[in-house]
Amino acid sequence: MMRVTFIHADGKERTEAEAEPGSILLDVAQAYLMPLEGTCEGQMACSTCHVIVAKEDFDRLPPASEMEEDMLDLAAGVRRTSRLSCQVLLTPDLDGLTVHIPAESRNMQGPR
């Protein structure tokens, strides 16, 4: 098992999660009730699973594809270390990854 820390949108609370190597970050986040929609179910047709990776961890991730970069352009509150969590495959070398849940998001599904 590996560890992932989610920093909540308020910047104070955190959730320590465990994940199997090979898991998708979005799936782990949703299993731990993080407010990430993933409206397009990992098809990179939305940006509702946007997270901000901790600066000290960002370089451990493989580079984002051009398509992911295009989708990030639609996300609210994008930073230099932003990624779509549906595109982050958790490998053993990402053990201890820390990601921040953005304070703002765009709900592509509209009000519920």
Side-chain angles (χ1 to χ4, degrees):
M1 291 295 266
M2 49 188 298
R3 294 176 306 107
V4 177
T5 301
F6 294 98
I7 308 294
H8 295 224
D10 65 8
K12 297 175 186 166
E13 290 184 65
R14 46 180 47 210
T15 296
E16 301 290 336
E18 288 188 343
E20 292 283 340
S23 299
I24 301 296
L25 183 59
L26 174 60
D27 296 337
V28 175
Q30 289 176 335
Y32 281 83
L33 305 178
M34 295 296 102
L36 298 176
E37 270 186 64
T39 303
C40 74
E41 298 178 353
Q43 301 302 308
M44 274 198 295
C46 73
S47 59
T48 60
C49 68
H50 164 235
V51 294
I52 301 164
V53 177
K55 289 177 187 163
E56 61 273 14
D57 291 335
F58 187 73
D59 289 336
R60 294 197 286 154
L61 295 172
S65 68
E66 189 173 321
M67 192 170 171
E68 182 180 354
E69 292 285 352
D70 289 346
M71 280 293 105
L72 283 168
D73 288 342
L74 303 174
V78 173
R79 307 258 173 80
R80 188 185 72 73
T81 62
S82 290
R83 292 298 298 268
L84 297 180
S85 61
C86 71
Q87 298 303 303
V88 177
L89 178 68
L90 295 173
T91 58
D93 55 323
L94 292 177
D95 187 33
L97 182 71
T98 298
V99 296
H100 299 257
I101 304 300
E104 55 185 310
S105 66
R106 292 197 177 114
N107 181 341
M108 305 296 229
Q109 292 181 331
R112 293 182 182 206

